Amino acid sequence: MCDSIPSMSTSKNSVGFPDGVTVPEGLEVRRASMDDPLMQAAFRFAQENRFEDMTVTSSVIAKNGEIIGQGINGDGWHQENRRCERTGVENIGKRYEDCPGCHPDNHSERVAIRQALVAGHDLKDSEIYMYGHWWSCEPCMLATSDVGIKTVYILKDSKPIFDRSNTKQN
């Protein structure tokens, strides 16, 4: 079961993303339940590659139902170094450049895109399933749109699960 969110050229609170996040025109954002096999694949990939409880973020790119790319936040940097330079609620959604693993170039969406492209896949009309996200930053939304991905799937009802901005974690 999926819920659709219309694409737009400017951020809208009705999308459920933080202010300032733009969904590029023509990119569809949908919410998928954990019953979706590709969301389950993103979940498993996140669980298999997490380095601590706060980092359970992954992206899986599929075309015609086949997984053609996978990525985790940090592209392995966090796992190798066993730390994040941005840990703490005050840095959620900002200061990505403070940690090599958190830099937008190493967000799970862009890691999955790189993996699929290196393997020679055409991403036009593919889909990306994101687990551990309740939104996607603008650089990743643009990268997703630029390579021809047509639909972004985010876990249904994910904001209460993954929004750490109101927690006391550090």
PDB file of all heavy atoms in Angstrom, residues 63-101:
ATOM      1  N   LYS A  63      14.732  -1.316 -10.583  1.00  0.00           N
ATOM      2  CA  LYS A  63      14.177  -1.069 -11.915  1.00  0.00           C
ATOM      3  C   LYS A  63      13.493  -2.357 -12.354  1.00  0.00           C
ATOM      4  O   LYS A  63      14.106  -3.430 -12.298  1.00  0.00           O
ATOM      5  CB  LYS A  63      15.279  -0.674 -12.900  1.00  0.00           C
ATOM      6  CG  LYS A  63      14.732  -0.218 -14.233  1.00  0.00           C
ATOM      7  CD  LYS A  63      15.774   0.506 -15.038  1.00  0.00           C
ATOM      8  CE  LYS A  63      15.147   1.058 -16.309  1.00  0.00           C
ATOM      9  NZ  LYS A  63      16.104   1.857 -17.060  1.00  0.00           N
ATOM     10  N   ASN A  64      12.237  -2.236 -12.740  1.00  0.00           N
ATOM     11  CA  ASN A  64      11.442  -3.403 -13.124  1.00  0.00           C
ATOM     12  C   ASN A  64      11.459  -4.467 -12.029  1.00  0.00           C
ATOM     13  O   ASN A  64      11.522  -5.660 -12.306  1.00  0.00           O
ATOM     14  CB  ASN A  64      11.944  -3.978 -14.450  1.00  0.00           C
ATOM     15  CG  ASN A  64      11.862  -2.967 -15.571  1.00  0.00           C
ATOM     16  OD1 ASN A  64      10.907  -2.199 -15.667  1.00  0.00           O
ATOM     17  ND2 ASN A  64      12.879  -2.948 -16.417  1.00  0.00           N
ATOM     18  N   GLY A  65      11.433  -4.025 -10.764  1.00  0.00           N
ATOM     19  CA  GLY A  65      11.378  -4.935  -9.637  1.00  0.00           C
ATOM     20  C   GLY A  65      12.707  -5.547  -9.222  1.00  0.00           C
ATOM     21  O   GLY A  65      12.772  -6.278  -8.244  1.00  0.00           O
ATOM     22  N   GLU A  66      13.791  -5.265  -9.949  1.00  0.00           N
ATOM     23  CA  GLU A  66      15.106  -5.825  -9.653  1.00  0.00           C
ATOM     24  C   GLU A  66      15.986  -4.769  -8.972  1.00  0.00           C
ATOM     25  O   GLU A  66      16.058  -3.622  -9.426  1.00  0.00           O
ATOM     26  CB  GLU A  66      15.783  -6.276 -10.948  1.00  0.00           C
ATOM     27  CG  GLU A  66      17.179  -6.810 -10.744  1.00  0.00           C
ATOM     28  CD  GLU A  66      17.890  -7.099 -12.056  1.00  0.00           C
ATOM     29  OE1 GLU A  66      17.225  -7.174 -13.108  1.00  0.00           O
ATOM     30  OE2 GLU A  66      19.116  -7.236 -12.019  1.00  0.00           O
ATOM     31  N   ILE A  67      16.655  -5.152  -7.897  1.00  0.00           N
ATOM     32  CA  ILE A  67      17.560  -4.230  -7.201  1.00  0.00           C
ATOM     33  C   ILE A  67      18.815  -4.048  -8.046  1.00  0.00           C
ATOM     34  O   ILE A  67      19.483  -5.016  -8.415  1.00  0.00           O
ATOM     35  CB  ILE A  67      17.911  -4.759  -5.801  1.00  0.00           C
ATOM     36  CG1 ILE A  67      16.656  -4.794  -4.927  1.00  0.00           C
ATOM     37  CG2 ILE A  67      19.002  -3.897  -5.163  1.00  0.00           C
ATOM     38  CD1 ILE A  67      16.851  -5.438  -3.577  1.00  0.00           C
ATOM     39  N   ILE A  68      19.115  -2.769  -8.341  1.00  0.00           N
ATOM     40  CA  ILE A  68      20.289  -2.470  -9.166  1.00  0.00           C
ATOM     41  C   ILE A  68      21.314  -1.598  -8.441  1.00  0.00           C
ATOM     42  O   ILE A  68      22.396  -1.353  -8.961  1.00  0.00           O
ATOM     43  CB  ILE A  68      19.886  -1.815 -10.507  1.00  0.00           C
ATOM     44  CG1 ILE A  68      19.142  -0.496 -10.273  1.00  0.00           C
ATOM     45  CG2 ILE A  68      19.039  -2.779 -11.340  1.00  0.00           C
ATOM     46  CD1 ILE A  68      18.869   0.298 -11.549  1.00  0.00           C
ATOM     47  N   GLY A  69      20.978  -1.132  -7.250  1.00  0.00           N
ATOM     48  CA  GLY A  69      21.918  -0.332  -6.464  1.00  0.00           C
ATOM     49  C   GLY A  69      21.476  -0.265  -5.019  1.00  0.00           C
ATOM     50  O   GLY A  69      20.280  -0.259  -4.738  1.00  0.00           O
ATOM     51  N   GLN A  70      22.458  -0.241  -4.103  1.00  0.00           N
ATOM     52  CA  GLN A  70      22.178  -0.134  -2.675  1.00  0.00           C
ATOM     53  C   GLN A  70      23.197   0.795  -2.047  1.00  0.00           C
ATOM     54  O   GLN A  70      24.351   0.822  -2.475  1.00  0.00           O
ATOM     55  CB  GLN A  70      22.269  -1.494  -1.983  1.00  0.00           C
ATOM     56  CG  GLN A  70      21.306  -2.514  -2.504  1.00  0.00           C
ATOM     57  CD  GLN A  70      21.458  -3.837  -1.792  1.00  0.00           C
ATOM     58  OE1 GLN A  70      20.644  -4.158  -0.961  1.00  0.00           O
ATOM     59  NE2 GLN A  70      22.483  -4.592  -2.121  1.00  0.00           N
ATOM     60  N   GLY A  71      22.773   1.524  -1.041  1.00  0.00           N
ATOM     61  CA  GLY A  71      23.706   2.399  -0.349  1.00  0.00           C
ATOM     62  C   GLY A  71      23.297   2.617   1.086  1.00  0.00           C
ATOM     63  O   GLY A  71      22.122   2.515   1.427  1.00  0.00           O
ATOM     64  N   ILE A  72      24.284   2.885   1.917  1.00  0.00           N
ATOM     65  CA  ILE A  72      24.051   3.246   3.307  1.00  0.00           C
ATOM     66  C   ILE A  72      24.641   4.627   3.531  1.00  0.00           C
ATOM     67  O   ILE A  72      25.564   5.039   2.832  1.00  0.00           O
ATOM     68  CB  ILE A  72      24.695   2.240   4.292  1.00  0.00           C
ATOM     69  CG1 ILE A  72      26.183   2.088   3.998  1.00  0.00           C
ATOM     70  CG2 ILE A  72      23.962   0.931   4.269  1.00  0.00           C
ATOM     71  CD1 ILE A  72      26.947   1.327   5.035  1.00  0.00           C
ATOM     72  N   ASN A  73      24.089   5.353   4.508  1.00  0.00           N
ATOM     73  CA  ASN A  73      24.680   6.643   4.845  1.00  0.00           C
ATOM     74  C   ASN A  73      26.111   6.422   5.287  1.00  0.00           C
ATOM     75  O   ASN A  73      26.385   5.545   6.100  1.00  0.00           O
ATOM     76  CB  ASN A  73      23.893   7.343   5.956  1.00  0.00           C
ATOM     77  CG  ASN A  73      22.803   8.223   5.421  1.00  0.00           C
ATOM     78  OD1 ASN A  73      22.469   8.169   4.241  1.00  0.00           O
ATOM     79  ND2 ASN A  73      22.223   9.034   6.277  1.00  0.00           N
ATOM     80  N   GLY A  74      27.007   7.220   4.735  1.00  0.00           N
ATOM     81  CA  GLY A  74      28.413   7.157   5.099  1.00  0.00           C
ATOM     82  C   GLY A  74      29.249   6.333   4.155  1.00  0.00           C
ATOM     83  O   GLY A  74      30.475   6.401   4.207  1.00  0.00           O
ATOM     84  N   ASP A  75      28.630   5.536   3.309  1.00  0.00           N
ATOM     85  CA  ASP A  75      29.352   4.692   2.357  1.00  0.00           C
ATOM     86  C   ASP A  75      30.449   3.876   3.035  1.00  0.00           C
ATOM     87  O   ASP A  75      31.527   3.683   2.492  1.00  0.00           O
ATOM     88  CB  ASP A  75      29.924   5.539   1.219  1.00  0.00           C
ATOM     89  CG  ASP A  75      30.318   4.707   0.010  1.00  0.00           C
ATOM     90  OD1 ASP A  75      29.877   3.547  -0.086  1.00  0.00           O
ATOM     91  OD2 ASP A  75      31.068   5.215  -0.835  1.00  0.00           O
ATOM     92  N   GLY A  76      30.191   3.441   4.265  1.00  0.00           N
ATOM     93  CA  GLY A  76      31.140   2.627   5.012  1.00  0.00           C
ATOM     94  C   GLY A  76      32.061   3.399   5.937  1.00  0.00           C
ATOM     95  O   GLY A  76      32.734   2.817   6.776  1.00  0.00           O
ATOM     96  N   TRP A  77      32.102   4.744   5.812  1.00  0.00           N
ATOM     97  CA  TRP A  77      33.008   5.537   6.647  1.00  0.00           C
ATOM     98  C   TRP A  77      32.681   5.348   8.125  1.00  0.00           C
ATOM     99  O   TRP A  77      33.574   5.138   8.939  1.00  0.00           O
ATOM    100  CB  TRP A  77      32.939   7.021   6.278  1.00  0.00           C
ATOM    101  CG  TRP A  77      33.994   7.842   6.957  1.00  0.00           C
ATOM    102  CD1 TRP A  77      35.228   8.136   6.445  1.00  0.00           C
ATOM    103  CD2 TRP A  77      33.940   8.445   8.249  1.00  0.00           C
ATOM    104  NE1 TRP A  77      35.937   8.878   7.364  1.00  0.00           N
ATOM    105  CE2 TRP A  77      35.167   9.086   8.481  1.00  0.00           C
ATOM    106  CE3 TRP A  77      32.975   8.499   9.249  1.00  0.00           C
ATOM    107  CZ2 TRP A  77      35.459   9.779   9.645  1.00  0.00           C
ATOM    108  CZ3 TRP A  77      33.258   9.189  10.425  1.00  0.00           C
ATOM    109  CH2 TRP A  77      34.490   9.821  10.613  1.00  0.00           C
ATOM    110  N   HIS A  78      31.404   5.441   8.472  1.00  0.00           N
ATOM    111  CA  HIS A  78      30.996   5.280   9.871  1.00  0.00           C
ATOM    112  C   HIS A  78      31.354   3.886  10.395  1.00  0.00           C
ATOM    113  O   HIS A  78      31.838   3.749  11.517  1.00  0.00           O
ATOM    114  CB  HIS A  78      29.490   5.513  10.038  1.00  0.00           C
ATOM    115  CG  HIS A  78      29.068   6.914   9.746  1.00  0.00           C
ATOM    116  ND1 HIS A  78      28.166   7.204   8.758  1.00  0.00           N
ATOM    117  CD2 HIS A  78      29.428   8.088  10.302  1.00  0.00           C
ATOM    118  CE1 HIS A  78      27.966   8.512   8.718  1.00  0.00           C
ATOM    119  NE2 HIS A  78      28.730   9.069   9.652  1.00  0.00           N
ATOM    120  N   GLN A  79      31.118   2.866   9.591  1.00  0.00           N
ATOM    121  CA  GLN A  79      31.404   1.507  10.023  1.00  0.00           C
ATOM    122  C   GLN A  79      32.910   1.317  10.232  1.00  0.00           C
ATOM    123  O   GLN A  79      33.329   0.707  11.215  1.00  0.00           O
ATOM    124  CB  GLN A  79      30.884   0.502   8.988  1.00  0.00           C
ATOM    125  CG  GLN A  79      29.383   0.387   8.951  1.00  0.00           C
ATOM    126  CD  GLN A  79      28.690   1.568   8.280  1.00  0.00           C
ATOM    127  OE1 GLN A  79      29.315   2.483   7.764  1.00  0.00           O
ATOM    128  NE2 GLN A  79      27.368   1.553   8.300  1.00  0.00           N
ATOM    129  N   GLU A  80      33.701   1.833   9.325  1.00  0.00           N
ATOM    130  CA  GLU A  80      35.157   1.691   9.422  1.00  0.00           C
ATOM    131  C   GLU A  80      35.724   2.466  10.609  1.00  0.00           C
ATOM    132  O   GLU A  80      36.606   1.984  11.314  1.00  0.00           O
ATOM    133  CB  GLU A  80      35.823   2.175   8.128  1.00  0.00           C
ATOM    134  CG  GLU A  80      37.319   2.016   8.115  1.00  0.00           C
ATOM    135  CD  GLU A  80      37.937   2.477   6.805  1.00  0.00           C
ATOM    136  OE1 GLU A  80      37.288   2.334   5.747  1.00  0.00           O
ATOM    137  OE2 GLU A  80      39.069   2.978   6.849  1.00  0.00           O
ATOM    138  N   ASN A  81      35.225   3.660  10.851  1.00  0.00           N
ATOM    139  CA  ASN A  81      35.758   4.523  11.906  1.00  0.00           C
ATOM    140  C   ASN A  81      35.004   4.410  13.229  1.00  0.00           C
ATOM    141  O   ASN A  81      35.422   5.009  14.222  1.00  0.00           O
ATOM    142  CB  ASN A  81      35.785   5.976  11.419  1.00  0.00           C
ATOM    143  CG  ASN A  81      36.773   6.152  10.302  1.00  0.00           C
ATOM    144  OD1 ASN A  81      37.970   6.234  10.550  1.00  0.00           O
ATOM    145  ND2 ASN A  81      36.297   6.154   9.062  1.00  0.00           N
ATOM    146  N   ARG A  82      33.873   3.693  13.219  1.00  0.00           N
ATOM    147  CA  ARG A  82      33.060   3.451  14.421  1.00  0.00           C
ATOM    148  C   ARG A  82      32.649   4.735  15.134  1.00  0.00           C
ATOM    149  O   ARG A  82      32.580   4.782  16.360  1.00  0.00           O
ATOM    150  CB  ARG A  82      33.784   2.509  15.396  1.00  0.00           C
ATOM    151  CG  ARG A  82      34.242   1.198  14.830  1.00  0.00           C
ATOM    152  CD  ARG A  82      33.165   0.320  14.324  1.00  0.00           C
ATOM    153  NE  ARG A  82      32.224  -0.062  15.377  1.00  0.00           N
ATOM    154  CZ  ARG A  82      31.037  -0.555  15.139  1.00  0.00           C
ATOM    155  NH1 ARG A  82      30.621  -0.723  13.912  1.00  0.00           N
ATOM    156  NH2 ARG A  82      30.238  -0.874  16.119  1.00  0.00           N
ATOM    157  N   ARG A  83      32.398   5.786  14.353  1.00  0.00           N
ATOM    158  CA  ARG A  83      31.952   7.039  14.951  1.00  0.00           C
ATOM    159  C   ARG A  83      31.318   7.926  13.880  1.00  0.00           C
ATOM    160  O   ARG A  83      31.451   7.685  12.698  1.00  0.00           O
ATOM    161  CB  ARG A  83      33.097   7.780  15.624  1.00  0.00           C
ATOM    162  CG  ARG A  83      34.113   8.377  14.668  1.00  0.00           C
ATOM    163  CD  ARG A  83      35.226   9.118  15.426  1.00  0.00           C
ATOM    164  NE  ARG A  83      36.026   9.917  14.544  1.00  0.00           N
ATOM    165  CZ  ARG A  83      36.979   9.455  13.753  1.00  0.00           C
ATOM    166  NH1 ARG A  83      37.251   8.162  13.723  1.00  0.00           N
ATOM    167  NH2 ARG A  83      37.668  10.268  12.986  1.00  0.00           N
ATOM    168  N   CYS A  84      30.662   8.966  14.363  1.00  0.00           N
ATOM    169  CA  CYS A  84      30.118  10.021  13.513  1.00  0.00           C
ATOM    170  C   CYS A  84      30.528  11.343  14.141  1.00  0.00           C
ATOM    171  O   CYS A  84      30.337  11.541  15.342  1.00  0.00           O
ATOM    172  CB  CYS A  84      28.596   9.915  13.419  1.00  0.00           C
ATOM    173  SG  CYS A  84      27.851  11.267  12.488  1.00  0.00           S
ATOM    174  N   GLU A  85      31.076  12.215  13.343  1.00  0.00           N
ATOM    175  CA  GLU A  85      31.534  13.516  13.838  1.00  0.00           C
ATOM    176  C   GLU A  85      30.382  14.484  14.104  1.00  0.00           C
ATOM    177  O   GLU A  85      30.613  15.553  14.673  1.00  0.00           O
ATOM    178  CB  GLU A  85      32.511  14.145  12.830  1.00  0.00           C
ATOM    179  CG  GLU A  85      33.746  13.315  12.551  1.00  0.00           C
ATOM    180  CD  GLU A  85      34.639  13.132  13.755  1.00  0.00           C
ATOM    181  OE1 GLU A  85      34.648  14.011  14.651  1.00  0.00           O
ATOM    182  OE2 GLU A  85      35.316  12.090  13.836  1.00  0.00           O
ATOM    183  N   ARG A  86      29.161  14.126  13.714  1.00  0.00           N
ATOM    184  CA  ARG A  86      28.010  15.017  13.871  1.00  0.00           C
ATOM    185  C   ARG A  86      27.029  14.530  14.918  1.00  0.00           C
ATOM    186  O   ARG A  86      25.945  15.094  15.062  1.00  0.00           O
ATOM    187  CB  ARG A  86      27.242  15.134  12.547  1.00  0.00           C
ATOM    188  CG  ARG A  86      27.961  15.832  11.462  1.00  0.00           C
ATOM    189  CD  ARG A  86      27.146  15.869  10.162  1.00  0.00           C
ATOM    190  NE  ARG A  86      25.799  16.351  10.350  1.00  0.00           N
ATOM    191  CZ  ARG A  86      24.710  15.581  10.293  1.00  0.00           C
ATOM    192  NH1 ARG A  86      24.782  14.306  10.057  1.00  0.00           N
ATOM    193  NH2 ARG A  86      23.522  16.100  10.463  1.00  0.00           N
ATOM    194  N   THR A  87      27.321  13.477  15.629  1.00  0.00           N
ATOM    195  CA  THR A  87      26.365  12.897  16.567  1.00  0.00           C
ATOM    196  C   THR A  87      25.826  13.967  17.510  1.00  0.00           C
ATOM    197  O   THR A  87      26.581  14.730  18.092  1.00  0.00           O
ATOM    198  CB  THR A  87      27.008  11.762  17.379  1.00  0.00           C
ATOM    199  OG1 THR A  87      27.431  10.759  16.455  1.00  0.00           O
ATOM    200  CG2 THR A  87      26.019  11.162  18.351  1.00  0.00           C
ATOM    201  N   GLY A  88      24.536  13.991  17.619  1.00  0.00           N
ATOM    202  CA  GLY A  88      23.876  14.943  18.505  1.00  0.00           C
ATOM    203  C   GLY A  88      22.687  15.571  17.829  1.00  0.00           C
ATOM    204  O   GLY A  88      22.697  15.849  16.637  1.00  0.00           O
ATOM    205  N   VAL A  89      21.657  15.807  18.583  1.00  0.00           N
ATOM    206  CA  VAL A  89      20.409  16.338  18.064  1.00  0.00           C
ATOM    207  C   VAL A  89      20.603  17.699  17.406  1.00  0.00           C
ATOM    208  O   VAL A  89      19.977  18.012  16.405  1.00  0.00           O
ATOM    209  CB  VAL A  89      19.367  16.415  19.200  1.00  0.00           C
ATOM    210  CG1 VAL A  89      18.114  17.134  18.753  1.00  0.00           C
ATOM    211  CG2 VAL A  89      19.032  15.017  19.688  1.00  0.00           C
ATOM    212  N   GLU A  90      21.505  18.504  17.930  1.00  0.00           N
ATOM    213  CA  GLU A  90      21.675  19.858  17.390  1.00  0.00           C
ATOM    214  C   GLU A  90      22.180  19.863  15.948  1.00  0.00           C
ATOM    215  O   GLU A  90      22.095  20.875  15.265  1.00  0.00           O
ATOM    216  CB  GLU A  90      22.615  20.683  18.282  1.00  0.00           C
ATOM    217  CG  GLU A  90      24.073  20.239  18.252  1.00  0.00           C
ATOM    218  CD  GLU A  90      24.412  19.038  19.131  1.00  0.00           C
ATOM    219  OE1 GLU A  90      23.521  18.515  19.822  1.00  0.00           O
ATOM    220  OE2 GLU A  90      25.567  18.621  19.111  1.00  0.00           O
ATOM    221  N   ASN A  91      22.682  18.749  15.453  1.00  0.00           N
ATOM    222  CA  ASN A  91      23.214  18.682  14.094  1.00  0.00           C
ATOM    223  C   ASN A  91      22.300  17.967  13.111  1.00  0.00           C
ATOM    224  O   ASN A  91      22.673  17.784  11.954  1.00  0.00           O
ATOM    225  CB  ASN A  91      24.576  17.986  14.104  1.00  0.00           C
ATOM    226  CG  ASN A  91      25.629  18.828  14.774  1.00  0.00           C
ATOM    227  OD1 ASN A  91      25.601  20.048  14.681  1.00  0.00           O
ATOM    228  ND2 ASN A  91      26.539  18.194  15.465  1.00  0.00           N
ATOM    229  N   ILE A  92      21.134  17.538  13.519  1.00  0.00           N
ATOM    230  CA  ILE A  92      20.248  16.808  12.623  1.00  0.00           C
ATOM    231  C   ILE A  92      19.818  17.718  11.477  1.00  0.00           C
ATOM    232  O   ILE A  92      19.325  18.812  11.686  1.00  0.00           O
ATOM    233  CB  ILE A  92      19.033  16.256  13.386  1.00  0.00           C
ATOM    234  CG1 ILE A  92      19.512  15.165  14.339  1.00  0.00           C
ATOM    235  CG2 ILE A  92      17.973  15.717  12.424  1.00  0.00           C
ATOM    236  CD1 ILE A  92      18.463  14.674  15.279  1.00  0.00           C
ATOM    237  N   GLY A  93      20.068  17.231  10.263  1.00  0.00           N
ATOM    238  CA  GLY A  93      19.685  17.964   9.062  1.00  0.00           C
ATOM    239  C   GLY A  93      20.597  19.125   8.702  1.00  0.00           C
ATOM    240  O   GLY A  93      20.283  19.894   7.811  1.00  0.00           O
ATOM    241  N   LYS A  94      21.743  19.251   9.364  1.00  0.00           N
ATOM    242  CA  LYS A  94      22.665  20.338   9.041  1.00  0.00           C
ATOM    243  C   LYS A  94      24.090  19.917   9.364  1.00  0.00           C
ATOM    244  O   LYS A  94      24.321  18.875   9.956  1.00  0.00           O
ATOM    245  CB  LYS A  94      22.287  21.608   9.794  1.00  0.00           C
ATOM    246  CG  LYS A  94      22.257  21.452  11.299  1.00  0.00           C
ATOM    247  CD  LYS A  94      21.718  22.688  11.987  1.00  0.00           C
ATOM    248  CE  LYS A  94      21.606  22.407  13.479  1.00  0.00           C
ATOM    249  NZ  LYS A  94      20.960  23.476  14.188  1.00  0.00           N
ATOM    250  N   ARG A  95      25.039  20.721   8.948  1.00  0.00           N
ATOM    251  CA  ARG A  95      26.467  20.540   9.213  1.00  0.00           C
ATOM    252  C   ARG A  95      26.999  19.209   8.674  1.00  0.00           C
ATOM    253  O   ARG A  95      27.887  18.601   9.265  1.00  0.00           O
ATOM    254  CB  ARG A  95      26.763  20.700  10.700  1.00  0.00           C
ATOM    255  CG  ARG A  95      26.369  22.083  11.231  1.00  0.00           C
ATOM    256  CD  ARG A  95      26.689  22.206  12.679  1.00  0.00           C
ATOM    257  NE  ARG A  95      28.114  21.960  12.871  1.00  0.00           N
ATOM    258  CZ  ARG A  95      28.940  22.768  13.495  1.00  0.00           C
ATOM    259  NH1 ARG A  95      28.490  23.870  14.019  1.00  0.00           N
ATOM    260  NH2 ARG A  95      30.199  22.464  13.628  1.00  0.00           N
ATOM    261  N   TYR A  96      26.449  18.761   7.549  1.00  0.00           N
ATOM    262  CA  TYR A  96      26.890  17.500   6.953  1.00  0.00           C
ATOM    263  C   TYR A  96      28.390  17.492   6.653  1.00  0.00           C
ATOM    264  O   TYR A  96      29.025  16.450   6.703  1.00  0.00           O
ATOM    265  CB  TYR A  96      26.119  17.212   5.662  1.00  0.00           C
ATOM    266  CG  TYR A  96      24.652  16.941   5.855  1.00  0.00           C
ATOM    267  CD1 TYR A  96      23.699  17.718   5.213  1.00  0.00           C
ATOM    268  CD2 TYR A  96      24.219  15.899   6.666  1.00  0.00           C
ATOM    269  CE1 TYR A  96      22.347  17.453   5.372  1.00  0.00           C
ATOM    270  CE2 TYR A  96      22.870  15.635   6.828  1.00  0.00           C
ATOM    271  CZ  TYR A  96      21.944  16.412   6.173  1.00  0.00           C
ATOM    272  OH  TYR A  96      20.605  16.160   6.333  1.00  0.00           O
ATOM    273  N   GLU A  97      28.935  18.655   6.339  1.00  0.00           N
ATOM    274  CA  GLU A  97      30.354  18.734   5.984  1.00  0.00           C
ATOM    275  C   GLU A  97      31.273  18.465   7.173  1.00  0.00           C
ATOM    276  O   GLU A  97      32.468  18.224   6.997  1.00  0.00           O
ATOM    277  CB  GLU A  97      30.677  20.107   5.368  1.00  0.00           C
ATOM    278  CG  GLU A  97      30.571  21.276   6.323  1.00  0.00           C
ATOM    279  CD  GLU A  97      29.163  21.774   6.617  1.00  0.00           C
ATOM    280  OE1 GLU A  97      28.186  21.280   6.002  1.00  0.00           O
ATOM    281  OE2 GLU A  97      29.024  22.661   7.475  1.00  0.00           O
ATOM    282  N   ASP A  98      30.751  18.452   8.403  1.00  0.00           N
ATOM    283  CA  ASP A  98      31.568  18.208   9.597  1.00  0.00           C
ATOM    284  C   ASP A  98      32.017  16.754   9.722  1.00  0.00           C
ATOM    285  O   ASP A  98      32.911  16.447  10.512  1.00  0.00           O
ATOM    286  CB  ASP A  98      30.812  18.594  10.870  1.00  0.00           C
ATOM    287  CG  ASP A  98      30.684  20.101  11.048  1.00  0.00           C
ATOM    288  OD1 ASP A  98      31.247  20.855  10.226  1.00  0.00           O
ATOM    289  OD2 ASP A  98      30.013  20.517  12.002  1.00  0.00           O
ATOM    290  N   CYS A  99      31.406  15.849   8.989  1.00  0.00           N
ATOM    291  CA  CYS A  99      31.737  14.423   9.085  1.00  0.00           C
ATOM    292  C   CYS A  99      31.857  13.851   7.673  1.00  0.00           C
ATOM    293  O   CYS A  99      30.923  13.970   6.885  1.00  0.00           O
ATOM    294  CB  CYS A  99      30.648  13.684   9.854  1.00  0.00           C
ATOM    295  SG  CYS A  99      30.894  11.900   9.946  1.00  0.00           S
ATOM    296  N   PRO A 100      33.004  13.228   7.350  1.00  0.00           N
ATOM    297  CA  PRO A 100      33.134  12.638   6.010  1.00  0.00           C
ATOM    298  C   PRO A 100      32.029  11.638   5.686  1.00  0.00           C
ATOM    299  O   PRO A 100      31.578  11.556   4.544  1.00  0.00           O
ATOM    300  CB  PRO A 100      34.496  11.937   6.058  1.00  0.00           C
ATOM    301  CG  PRO A 100      35.255  12.628   7.135  1.00  0.00           C
ATOM    302  CD  PRO A 100      34.225  13.062   8.147  1.00  0.00           C
ATOM    303  N   GLY A 101      31.566  10.904   6.672  1.00  0.00           N
ATOM    304  CA  GLY A 101      30.507   9.935   6.434  1.00  0.00           C
ATOM    305  C   GLY A 101      29.148  10.568   6.212  1.00  0.00           C
ATOM    306  O   GLY A 101      28.274   9.966   5.611  1.00  0.00           O
TER     307      GLY A 101
END
